[in-house]
Amino acid sequence: MPHQRTTPRRLLVLSSACVLTAAAALALAPAATAEPATSVAYPSGASATRYSGLALDTCTAPPLASVQAWSSSPYRALGVYVSGVNRTCAQPQLTAPWVASVSQLKWRLLPIHKGLQPPCGARPTDAKISTTPATARSQGTAAATEAVTAAKALGMRPGSALYNDIENYSQTDTTCRTAVLSYLSAWTKELHRVGWVSGVYMNLNLGAAQLAAVYTSTGYARPDALWIARYDGVDSLKGWSGVTDSKWAVHQRAKQFRGGHDETYGGVTLNIDTDRLDAPVATVTHPYKVTSTTALNARTGPSTSYPVAATYAPGTTLDVVCQAPGSKVATTSVWDKLPNGAYVSDHYVGTPSDTGYSSPLPRCTYPYQVTAANGLTERSGPGSGYTAVGTSPNGALAWVTCQRTGTTVGTTKIWDRLDNGHYVSDHYVATPSATTYSKPVPRC
Protein backbone atom coordinates (compact mmCIF):
# COMPACT_ATOMS: atom_id res chain seq x y z
CA MET A 1 0.00 0.00 0.00
CA PRO A 2 2.52 2.67 -1.12
CA HIS A 3 1.88 6.26 -0.17
CA GLN A 4 -1.51 5.56 1.37
CA ARG A 5 -2.90 4.27 -1.96
CA THR A 6 -5.01 1.14 -1.95
CA THR A 7 -5.20 0.98 -5.75
CA PRO A 8 -3.98 3.07 -8.68
CA ARG A 9 -5.69 6.32 -9.51
CA ARG A 10 -5.67 8.98 -12.25
CA LEU A 11 -6.60 12.41 -13.63
CA LEU A 12 -8.49 13.91 -16.50
CA VAL A 13 -7.62 16.41 -19.25
CA LEU A 14 -9.98 18.38 -21.41
CA SER A 15 -9.85 19.85 -24.83
CA SER A 16 -11.86 22.58 -26.53
CA ALA A 17 -15.56 22.34 -27.22
CA CYS A 18 -17.35 23.87 -30.13
CA VAL A 19 -17.89 27.61 -30.31
CA LEU A 20 -21.34 29.10 -29.83
CA THR A 21 -22.67 32.17 -31.45
CA ALA A 22 -23.30 34.90 -28.91
CA ALA A 23 -27.06 34.39 -29.01
CA ALA A 24 -26.90 30.63 -28.61
CA ALA A 25 -24.39 30.85 -25.79
CA LEU A 26 -26.61 33.30 -23.97
CA ALA A 27 -29.51 30.91 -24.07
CA LEU A 28 -27.46 27.99 -22.82
CA ALA A 29 -25.37 29.62 -20.09
CA PRO A 30 -26.55 28.68 -16.58
CA ALA A 31 -26.64 31.20 -13.77
CA ALA A 32 -23.17 31.90 -12.43
CA THR A 33 -24.01 30.95 -8.84
CA ALA A 34 -25.84 27.71 -9.60
CA GLU A 35 -24.46 24.19 -9.59
CA PRO A 36 -22.49 22.71 -11.17
CA ALA A 37 -20.33 25.87 -11.62
CA THR A 38 -20.40 27.49 -8.20
CA SER A 39 -18.55 30.78 -7.83
CA VAL A 40 -15.38 31.29 -5.79
CA ALA A 41 -15.31 34.08 -3.20
CA TYR A 42 -11.60 34.92 -3.36
CA PRO A 43 -10.56 37.26 -0.52
CA SER A 44 -8.52 40.37 -1.31
CA GLY A 45 -5.11 38.74 -0.77
CA ALA A 46 -5.85 35.58 -2.76
CA SER A 47 -4.34 34.33 -6.00
CA ALA A 48 -4.21 30.94 -7.67
CA THR A 49 -1.03 29.13 -8.70
CA ARG A 50 -0.62 26.37 -11.25
CA TYR A 51 2.15 24.00 -12.25
CA SER A 52 2.86 22.12 -15.45
CA GLY A 53 5.40 19.31 -15.36
CA LEU A 54 6.41 16.22 -13.43
CA ALA A 55 5.50 15.80 -9.77
CA LEU A 56 6.04 13.21 -7.08
CA ASP A 57 4.19 12.28 -3.95
CA THR A 58 5.30 10.36 -0.90
CA CYS A 59 3.41 9.15 2.14
CA THR A 60 5.58 11.21 4.51
CA ALA A 61 6.91 14.59 3.44
CA PRO A 62 10.68 14.17 2.97
CA PRO A 63 13.25 16.17 4.96
CA LEU A 64 14.32 19.50 3.52
CA ALA A 65 17.80 18.11 2.87
CA SER A 66 16.28 15.40 0.66
CA VAL A 67 14.30 17.98 -1.32
CA GLN A 68 17.49 19.99 -1.76
CA ALA A 69 19.31 16.90 -2.99
CA TRP A 70 16.59 16.33 -5.56
CA SER A 71 17.27 19.67 -7.23
CA SER A 72 18.92 17.66 -10.02
CA SER A 73 15.72 15.65 -10.61
CA PRO A 74 13.11 16.38 -13.30
CA TYR A 75 10.51 16.96 -10.56
CA ARG A 76 9.47 20.37 -9.30
CA ALA A 77 6.18 19.64 -7.52
CA LEU A 78 5.49 17.54 -4.47
CA GLY A 79 2.25 16.10 -3.08
CA VAL A 80 1.83 16.46 0.70
CA TYR A 81 -0.87 15.06 3.00
CA VAL A 82 -2.00 18.05 5.03
CA SER A 83 -5.08 16.68 6.83
CA GLY A 84 -7.75 13.99 7.13
CA VAL A 85 -8.86 11.32 9.56
CA ASN A 86 -7.49 8.59 7.28
CA ARG A 87 -4.07 10.20 6.84
CA THR A 88 -1.98 7.28 8.11
CA CYS A 89 1.61 8.51 7.78
CA ALA A 90 3.30 10.72 10.34
CA GLN A 91 4.36 14.15 9.06
CA PRO A 92 7.24 15.35 11.27
CA GLN A 93 8.69 17.46 8.44
CA LEU A 94 5.44 19.08 7.34
CA THR A 95 5.59 22.44 9.09
CA ALA A 96 5.19 26.05 8.02
CA PRO A 97 9.01 26.58 7.94
CA TRP A 98 9.39 23.46 5.76
CA VAL A 99 6.73 24.72 3.34
CA ALA A 100 8.43 28.11 3.15
CA SER A 101 11.87 26.58 2.58
CA VAL A 102 10.70 24.12 -0.07
CA SER A 103 8.85 26.91 -1.84
CA GLN A 104 11.98 29.07 -1.84
CA LEU A 105 13.71 26.18 -3.62
CA LYS A 106 11.11 26.72 -6.38
CA TRP A 107 9.07 23.59 -5.66
CA ARG A 108 5.28 23.69 -5.95
CA LEU A 109 3.10 21.79 -3.46
CA LEU A 110 -0.08 19.76 -3.96
CA PRO A 111 -2.01 19.73 -0.67
CA ILE A 112 -3.91 16.45 -0.14
CA HIS A 113 -6.75 15.81 2.31
CA LYS A 114 -7.31 12.13 3.07
CA GLY A 115 -10.53 12.21 4.99
CA LEU A 116 -13.62 10.02 5.00
CA GLN A 117 -13.70 7.29 2.37
CA PRO A 118 -16.50 5.69 0.29
CA PRO A 119 -18.84 3.46 2.32
CA CYS A 120 -18.41 0.71 -0.31
CA GLY A 121 -14.67 0.88 -0.84
CA ALA A 122 -11.17 1.84 0.36
CA ARG A 123 -9.82 -0.03 3.41
CA PRO A 124 -12.22 -1.76 5.81
CA THR A 125 -10.67 0.14 8.73
CA ASP A 126 -11.10 3.58 7.15
CA ALA A 127 -13.64 6.02 8.56
CA LYS A 128 -16.40 6.25 5.96
CA ILE A 129 -18.76 8.74 4.36
CA SER A 130 -22.36 8.42 5.49
CA THR A 131 -24.85 6.76 3.13
CA THR A 132 -27.36 9.45 4.09
CA PRO A 133 -26.88 12.23 1.48
CA ALA A 134 -27.59 15.11 3.89
CA THR A 135 -25.04 13.75 6.35
CA ALA A 136 -22.53 13.15 3.56
CA ARG A 137 -22.90 16.78 2.53
CA SER A 138 -22.26 18.02 6.07
CA GLN A 139 -19.21 15.76 6.20
CA GLY A 140 -17.93 17.24 2.95
CA THR A 141 -18.32 20.75 4.34
CA ALA A 142 -16.46 19.75 7.49
CA ALA A 143 -13.68 18.19 5.41
CA ALA A 144 -13.19 21.46 3.52
CA THR A 145 -13.02 23.40 6.79
CA GLU A 146 -10.46 20.96 8.20
CA ALA A 147 -8.30 21.07 5.08
CA VAL A 148 -8.35 24.88 4.87
CA THR A 149 -7.41 25.18 8.54
CA ALA A 150 -4.49 22.77 8.11
CA ALA A 151 -3.30 24.44 4.89
CA LYS A 152 -3.41 27.90 6.46
CA ALA A 153 -1.38 26.66 9.43
CA LEU A 154 1.29 25.55 6.93
CA GLY A 155 1.41 28.98 5.30
CA MET A 156 -0.73 28.18 2.26
CA ARG A 157 -2.92 30.99 0.98
CA PRO A 158 -6.51 31.39 -0.23
CA GLY A 159 -6.59 30.62 -3.94
CA SER A 160 -4.68 27.39 -3.30
CA ALA A 161 -6.04 24.13 -4.64
CA LEU A 162 -6.84 21.40 -2.09
CA TYR A 163 -7.23 17.81 -3.33
CA ASN A 164 -9.63 15.41 -1.62
CA ASP A 165 -8.24 11.86 -1.79
CA ILE A 166 -11.05 9.40 -2.59
CA GLU A 167 -9.90 5.79 -2.93
CA ASN A 168 -11.46 3.13 -5.16
CA TYR A 169 -15.03 2.02 -4.56
CA SER A 170 -17.75 -0.13 -6.11
CA GLN A 171 -19.17 1.31 -9.32
CA THR A 172 -22.45 -0.60 -9.08
CA ASP A 173 -23.61 0.56 -5.64
CA THR A 174 -25.91 3.52 -6.32
CA THR A 175 -26.27 4.45 -2.64
CA CYS A 176 -22.52 4.61 -2.28
CA ARG A 177 -22.20 6.62 -5.49
CA THR A 178 -24.69 9.21 -4.23
CA ALA A 179 -22.85 9.44 -0.91
CA VAL A 180 -19.47 10.08 -2.55
CA LEU A 181 -20.84 12.64 -5.01
CA SER A 182 -22.78 14.45 -2.27
CA TYR A 183 -19.68 14.60 -0.09
CA LEU A 184 -17.48 15.96 -2.88
CA SER A 185 -20.10 18.48 -3.98
CA ALA A 186 -20.24 19.93 -0.48
CA TRP A 187 -16.43 19.92 -0.33
CA THR A 188 -16.30 22.02 -3.48
CA LYS A 189 -19.02 24.44 -2.43
CA GLU A 190 -17.42 25.13 0.94
CA LEU A 191 -13.95 25.62 -0.54
CA HIS A 192 -15.44 28.06 -3.06
CA ARG A 193 -17.33 29.87 -0.33
CA VAL A 194 -14.12 30.65 1.55
CA GLY A 195 -11.98 31.34 -1.54
CA TRP A 196 -10.06 28.13 -2.25
CA VAL A 197 -9.86 25.96 -5.38
CA SER A 198 -11.39 22.47 -5.30
CA GLY A 199 -9.51 19.39 -6.45
CA VAL A 200 -10.38 15.69 -6.31
CA TYR A 201 -8.05 12.67 -6.51
CA MET A 202 -9.61 9.39 -7.74
CA ASN A 203 -8.90 6.12 -9.45
CA LEU A 204 -9.72 6.55 -13.13
CA ASN A 205 -11.92 3.48 -13.49
CA LEU A 206 -13.14 3.21 -9.90
CA GLY A 207 -14.35 6.73 -9.18
CA ALA A 208 -13.32 9.38 -11.71
CA ALA A 209 -15.63 8.13 -14.43
CA GLN A 210 -18.61 8.57 -12.08
CA LEU A 211 -17.49 12.11 -11.27
CA ALA A 212 -17.23 12.82 -15.00
CA ALA A 213 -20.75 11.41 -15.53
CA VAL A 214 -22.21 14.24 -13.41
CA TYR A 215 -19.99 16.94 -14.92
CA THR A 216 -23.02 18.97 -16.08
CA SER A 217 -25.47 17.83 -13.41
CA THR A 218 -27.23 20.66 -11.57
CA GLY A 219 -27.42 18.37 -8.54
CA TYR A 220 -23.70 18.51 -7.75
CA ALA A 221 -21.08 21.26 -7.60
CA ARG A 222 -18.25 20.49 -10.02
CA PRO A 223 -14.66 20.48 -8.70
CA ASP A 224 -12.14 22.69 -10.46
CA ALA A 225 -9.46 20.05 -11.04
CA LEU A 226 -9.20 16.28 -11.31
CA TRP A 227 -6.16 14.20 -10.35
CA ILE A 228 -6.47 10.59 -11.46
CA ALA A 229 -4.51 7.46 -10.69
CA ARG A 230 -3.84 4.94 -13.41
CA TYR A 231 -0.58 3.04 -13.24
CA ASP A 232 -0.22 2.35 -16.93
CA GLY A 233 3.07 4.18 -17.37
CA VAL A 234 1.46 6.52 -19.90
CA ASP A 235 2.61 10.07 -19.22
CA SER A 236 -0.39 11.83 -20.78
CA LEU A 237 -3.19 14.08 -19.63
CA LYS A 238 -5.46 13.06 -22.51
CA GLY A 239 -7.21 9.95 -23.70
CA TRP A 240 -8.61 8.86 -20.33
CA SER A 241 -11.23 6.13 -20.49
CA GLY A 242 -14.57 7.40 -19.19
CA VAL A 243 -13.44 11.03 -19.10
CA THR A 244 -13.61 12.93 -22.36
CA ASP A 245 -10.87 15.40 -23.22
CA SER A 246 -13.43 18.24 -23.15
CA LYS A 247 -13.83 17.96 -19.35
CA TRP A 248 -11.44 19.68 -16.94
CA ALA A 249 -9.63 20.91 -20.04
CA VAL A 250 -7.77 24.13 -19.17
CA HIS A 251 -4.92 23.55 -16.71
CA GLN A 252 -7.20 21.31 -14.62
CA ARG A 253 -5.65 17.84 -14.84
CA ALA A 254 -3.10 15.60 -13.19
CA LYS A 255 -2.28 11.94 -13.58
CA GLN A 256 -0.46 9.56 -11.28
CA PHE A 257 0.88 7.18 -13.89
CA ARG A 258 3.44 5.17 -11.89
CA GLY A 259 3.04 3.73 -8.41
CA GLY A 260 5.49 3.31 -5.56
CA HIS A 261 9.10 2.89 -6.69
CA ASP A 262 12.54 4.08 -5.70
CA GLU A 263 14.41 6.89 -7.44
CA THR A 264 17.74 8.44 -6.47
CA TYR A 265 19.01 11.99 -7.04
CA GLY A 266 21.86 13.78 -5.31
CA GLY A 267 22.67 10.59 -3.41
CA VAL A 268 19.21 10.50 -1.78
CA THR A 269 16.75 7.67 -2.50
CA LEU A 270 13.01 8.23 -2.07
CA ASN A 271 10.09 5.89 -2.62
CA ILE A 272 7.65 7.88 -4.73
CA ASP A 273 4.61 7.86 -6.97
CA THR A 274 5.13 9.74 -10.25
CA ASP A 275 2.64 12.28 -11.57
CA ARG A 276 2.17 14.51 -14.60
CA LEU A 277 0.49 17.83 -13.78
CA ASP A 278 -1.09 20.73 -15.56
CA ALA A 279 -3.22 21.86 -12.68
CA PRO A 280 -3.69 24.33 -9.82
CA VAL A 281 -1.47 23.83 -6.77
CA ALA A 282 -0.83 25.65 -3.48
CA THR A 283 -0.22 29.39 -3.31
CA VAL A 284 2.41 30.53 -0.82
CA THR A 285 4.10 33.87 -0.15
CA HIS A 286 7.74 34.67 -0.82
CA PRO A 287 9.68 37.22 1.29
CA TYR A 288 11.53 40.16 -0.28
CA LYS A 289 12.82 43.40 1.20
CA VAL A 290 11.79 46.96 0.36
CA THR A 291 14.73 48.53 -1.50
CA SER A 292 13.53 52.12 -1.68
CA THR A 293 15.29 54.80 0.38
CA THR A 294 12.00 56.36 1.44
CA ALA A 295 8.68 54.92 2.57
CA LEU A 296 7.09 52.70 -0.07
CA ASN A 297 3.42 53.26 -0.90
CA ALA A 298 1.20 50.20 -1.19
CA ARG A 299 -1.87 50.87 -3.32
CA THR A 300 -5.29 49.33 -3.73
CA GLY A 301 -4.51 48.33 -7.33
CA PRO A 302 -1.47 47.77 -9.56
CA SER A 303 -0.99 51.39 -10.64
CA THR A 304 0.11 54.72 -9.23
CA SER A 305 -3.39 56.00 -9.96
CA TYR A 306 -4.89 53.86 -7.17
CA PRO A 307 -5.22 55.21 -3.63
CA VAL A 308 -2.51 54.52 -1.05
CA ALA A 309 -3.54 51.72 1.30
CA ALA A 310 -0.41 51.49 3.47
CA THR A 311 3.26 52.47 3.59
CA TYR A 312 6.34 50.38 4.35
CA ALA A 313 9.68 51.57 5.65
CA PRO A 314 12.93 50.89 3.75
CA GLY A 315 14.28 47.44 4.56
CA THR A 316 10.90 46.03 5.54
CA THR A 317 10.41 42.39 4.55
CA LEU A 318 7.25 41.98 2.46
CA ASP A 319 5.47 38.70 1.86
CA VAL A 320 4.60 38.69 -1.85
CA VAL A 321 1.68 36.54 -3.05
CA CYS A 322 1.92 37.07 -6.81
CA GLN A 323 2.84 39.57 -9.52
CA ALA A 324 0.57 41.52 -11.86
CA PRO A 325 1.00 43.95 -14.77
CA GLY A 326 0.31 47.60 -14.07
CA SER A 327 1.55 51.12 -14.67
CA LYS A 328 5.25 51.48 -15.40
CA VAL A 329 7.53 52.67 -12.62
CA ALA A 330 11.13 53.30 -13.71
CA THR A 331 12.29 50.07 -15.43
CA THR A 332 9.30 47.80 -14.79
CA SER A 333 5.53 47.47 -15.21
CA VAL A 334 5.35 44.61 -12.69
CA TRP A 335 3.52 45.07 -9.40
CA ASP A 336 3.71 42.79 -6.36
CA LYS A 337 0.53 41.78 -4.55
CA LEU A 338 0.66 41.46 -0.74
CA PRO A 339 -1.48 39.27 1.57
CA ASN A 340 -3.61 42.28 2.55
CA GLY A 341 -4.59 42.75 -1.10
CA ALA A 342 -2.48 45.86 -1.65
CA TYR A 343 0.07 46.26 -4.46
CA VAL A 344 3.58 47.74 -4.50
CA SER A 345 5.71 48.51 -7.52
CA ASP A 346 8.27 45.76 -8.04
CA HIS A 347 10.85 48.47 -8.81
CA TYR A 348 11.17 49.02 -5.05
CA VAL A 349 11.20 45.37 -3.98
CA GLY A 350 14.25 43.09 -3.98
CA THR A 351 12.93 40.42 -6.33
CA PRO A 352 15.44 38.87 -8.78
CA SER A 353 14.31 40.86 -11.82
CA ASP A 354 14.30 44.66 -12.20
CA THR A 355 12.37 44.59 -15.47
CA GLY A 356 10.06 41.55 -15.58
CA TYR A 357 8.47 38.76 -13.60
CA SER A 358 10.50 36.83 -11.02
CA SER A 359 10.39 33.08 -10.43
CA PRO A 360 9.07 31.43 -8.29
CA LEU A 361 6.40 34.13 -7.91
CA PRO A 362 3.27 33.25 -9.90
CA ARG A 363 1.21 35.68 -11.97
CA CYS A 364 -1.89 36.92 -10.15
CA THR A 365 -4.83 34.93 -11.47
CA TYR A 366 -8.37 34.16 -10.34
CA PRO A 367 -9.80 31.00 -11.93
CA TYR A 368 -13.57 30.65 -12.31
CA GLN A 369 -15.48 27.99 -14.22
CA VAL A 370 -16.94 28.63 -17.65
CA THR A 371 -20.75 28.25 -17.61
CA ALA A 372 -21.56 28.26 -21.34
CA ALA A 373 -22.99 24.81 -22.06
CA ASN A 374 -21.39 24.37 -25.47
CA GLY A 375 -18.24 26.37 -24.92
CA LEU A 376 -17.22 30.02 -24.74
CA THR A 377 -15.55 31.97 -27.54
CA GLU A 378 -12.28 33.68 -26.60
CA ARG A 379 -11.74 36.98 -28.44
CA SER A 380 -8.83 39.29 -29.19
CA GLY A 381 -10.51 42.20 -27.40
CA PRO A 382 -13.35 43.00 -24.97
CA GLY A 383 -16.28 42.77 -27.34
CA SER A 384 -18.25 40.40 -29.53
CA GLY A 385 -16.95 42.24 -32.60
CA TYR A 386 -13.35 41.24 -31.97
CA THR A 387 -11.76 38.27 -33.73
CA ALA A 388 -12.42 34.81 -32.27
CA VAL A 389 -9.05 33.41 -31.17
CA GLY A 390 -9.98 30.34 -29.16
CA THR A 391 -12.59 28.42 -27.20
CA SER A 392 -13.00 27.50 -23.55
CA PRO A 393 -15.18 24.40 -23.10
CA ASN A 394 -17.94 24.14 -20.54
CA GLY A 395 -16.50 23.73 -17.05
CA ALA A 396 -13.05 24.93 -18.10
CA LEU A 397 -11.26 27.33 -15.79
CA ALA A 398 -11.14 30.90 -17.02
CA TRP A 399 -7.82 32.03 -15.52
CA VAL A 400 -8.82 35.69 -15.13
CA THR A 401 -6.12 38.34 -14.64
CA CYS A 402 -8.23 41.51 -14.89
CA GLN A 403 -11.60 42.87 -16.02
CA ARG A 404 -12.74 45.78 -18.18
CA THR A 405 -15.88 47.05 -19.87
CA GLY A 406 -16.82 46.11 -23.42
CA THR A 407 -19.92 45.27 -25.41
CA THR A 408 -22.97 44.17 -23.46
CA VAL A 409 -23.63 40.43 -23.34
CA GLY A 410 -26.66 39.31 -21.36
CA THR A 411 -26.73 41.24 -18.08
CA THR A 412 -23.19 42.66 -18.12
CA LYS A 413 -20.68 44.82 -20.01
CA ILE A 414 -17.76 43.22 -18.14
CA TRP A 415 -15.16 41.24 -20.06
CA ASP A 416 -12.51 39.06 -18.46
CA ARG A 417 -8.93 39.09 -19.69
CA LEU A 418 -7.40 35.62 -19.39
CA ASP A 419 -3.78 34.85 -18.68
CA ASN A 420 -3.31 33.91 -22.35
CA GLY A 421 -4.23 37.49 -23.35
CA HIS A 422 -7.67 36.55 -24.71
CA TYR A 423 -10.99 38.05 -23.58
CA VAL A 424 -14.26 36.33 -22.68
CA SER A 425 -17.60 37.80 -21.70
CA ASP A 426 -18.05 37.66 -17.94
CA HIS A 427 -21.66 36.65 -18.56
CA TYR A 428 -20.43 33.09 -19.18
CA VAL A 429 -17.97 32.90 -16.28
CA ALA A 430 -18.91 31.97 -12.70
CA THR A 431 -17.56 35.13 -11.10
CA PRO A 432 -19.41 36.47 -8.02
CA SER A 433 -21.20 39.24 -9.91
CA ALA A 434 -23.43 38.78 -12.93
CA THR A 435 -23.63 42.50 -13.67
CA THR A 436 -20.43 44.30 -12.67
CA TYR A 437 -16.80 43.88 -11.57
CA SER A 438 -15.91 41.06 -9.18
CA LYS A 439 -13.44 41.69 -6.39
CA PRO A 440 -10.54 41.05 -5.96
CA VAL A 441 -9.91 40.93 -9.73
CA PRO A 442 -8.25 44.23 -10.73
CA ARG A 443 -9.39 46.33 -13.66
CA CYS A 444 -7.40 46.16 -16.86
Side-chain angles (χ1 to χ4, degrees):
M1 190 179 68
H3 313 154
Q4 306 197 60
R5 314 278 195 261
T6 57
T7 59
R9 328 177 218 184
R10 337 157 99 169
L11 254 182
L12 325 175
V13 181
L14 309 165
S15 66
S16 296
C18 61
V19 179
L20 286 181
T21 64
L26 266 172
L28 294 171
T33 57
E35 297 168 11
T38 58
S39 188
V40 187
Y42 295 113
S44 60
S47 181
T49 303
R50 68 171 186 254
Y51 169 78
S52 179
L54 287 175
L56 64 96
D57 60 281
T58 62
C59 189
T60 298
L64 179 60
S66 298
V67 180
Q68 290 172 320
W70 274 50
S71 61
S72 61
S73 78
Y75 303 99
R76 281 299 177 274
L78 173 62
V80 290
Y81 288 86
V82 300
S83 58
V85 66
N86 289 315
R87 181 178 66 158
T88 56
C89 291
Q91 301 293 342
Q93 306 296 329
L94 191 54
T95 63
W98 182 91
V99 168
S101 296
V102 169
S103 299
Q104 283 299 297
L105 293 172
K106 300 185 179 181
W107 285 74
R108 301 300 191 191
L109 297 174
L110 291 87
I112 305 166
H113 173 83
K114 191 175 184 186
L116 299 176
Q117 294 298 306
C120 60
R123 298 171 299 192
T125 55
D126 283 343
K128 302 297 178 70
I129 300 167
S130 172
T131 55
T132 302
T135 304
R137 288 191 291 271
S138 66
Q139 290 171 331
T141 300
T145 300
E146 179 187 353
V148 166
T149 300
K152 282 184 174 179
L154 292 170
M156 298 175 188
R157 301 285 310 163
S160 295
L162 298 174
Y163 289 85
N164 198 317
D165 178 342
I166 299 294
E167 295 293 339
N168 62 295
Y169 62 96
S170 169
Q171 301 298 280
T172 59
D173 188 325
T174 56
T175 299
C176 182
R177 169 187 178 275
T178 300
V180 171
L181 295 176
S182 299
Y183 172 83
L184 291 177
S185 178
W187 157 268
T188 295
K189 291 175 73 172
E190 180 61 15
L191 288 182
H192 284 182
R193 189 186 71 82
V194 295
W196 294 62
V197 176
S198 169
V200 173
Y201 173 98
M202 281 180 154
N203 180 283
L204 176 63
N205 296 325
L206 300 174
Q210 288 198 345
L211 192 64
V214 295
Y215 188 80
T216 58
S217 170
T218 57
Y220 301 104
R222 179 172 52 225
D224 302 301
L226 181 61
W227 180 6
I228 62 163
R230 182 169 177 79
Y231 298 163
D232 56 5
V234 179
D235 179 6
S236 176
L237 296 178
K238 293 186 178 181
W240 297 346
S241 174
V243 182
T244 62
D245 287 347
S246 61
K247 296 176 180 176
W248 295 285
V250 182
H251 311 296
Q252 296 167 270
R253 288 191 171 205
K255 179 183 180 181
Q256 189 178 79
F257 62 89
R258 187 179 180 190
H261 64 284
D262 289 345
E263 292 190 26
T264 303
Y265 294 96
V268 173
T269 300
L270 296 176
N271 187 262
I272 67 169
D273 295 336
T274 301
D275 311 271
R276 167 65 65 181
L277 266 66
D278 183 11
V281 293
T283 294
V284 298
T285 60
H286 296 270
Y288 300 97
K289 287 189 175 181
V290 174
T291 59
S292 61
T293 57
T294 58
L296 174 60
N297 289 329
R299 299 181 179 273
T300 58
S303 169
T304 54
S305 63
Y306 284 92
V308 174
T311 59
Y312 297 96
T316 302
T317 297
L318 300 179
D319 290 325
V320 179
V321 176
C322 59
Q323 294 185 311
S327 64
K328 190 170 185 178
V329 176
T331 59
T332 185
S333 298
V334 174
W335 286 68
D336 301 331
K337 186 176 182 180
L338 309 181
N340 61 7
Y343 294 81
V344 293
S345 169
D346 189 59
H347 179 69
Y348 300 112
V349 181
T351 54
S353 176
D354 292 329
T355 57
Y357 297 97
S358 295
S359 176
L361 289 169
R363 294 284 297 273
C364 300
T365 56
Y366 312 89
Y368 303 94
Q369 291 185 25
V370 169
T371 62
N374 291 330
L376 174 57
T377 301
E378 300 174 15
R379 299 191 177 275
S380 60
S384 54
Y386 285 88
T387 303
V389 289
T391 304
S392 292
N394 180 31
L397 286 182
W399 293 82
V400 180
T401 60
C402 61
Q403 296 180 315
R404 61 173 296 179
T405 58
T407 58
T408 300
V409 178
T411 58
T412 185
K413 293 182 178 180
I414 303 302
W415 285 71
D416 302 330
R417 182 180 170 90
L418 308 181
D419 65 351
N420 62 6
H422 301 172
Y423 288 84
V424 293
S425 169
D426 191 59
H427 181 72
Y428 305 117
V429 180
T431 52
S433 177
T435 58
T436 188
Y437 296 100
S438 291
K439 294 180 179 181
V441 183
R443 299 188 186 185
C444 300

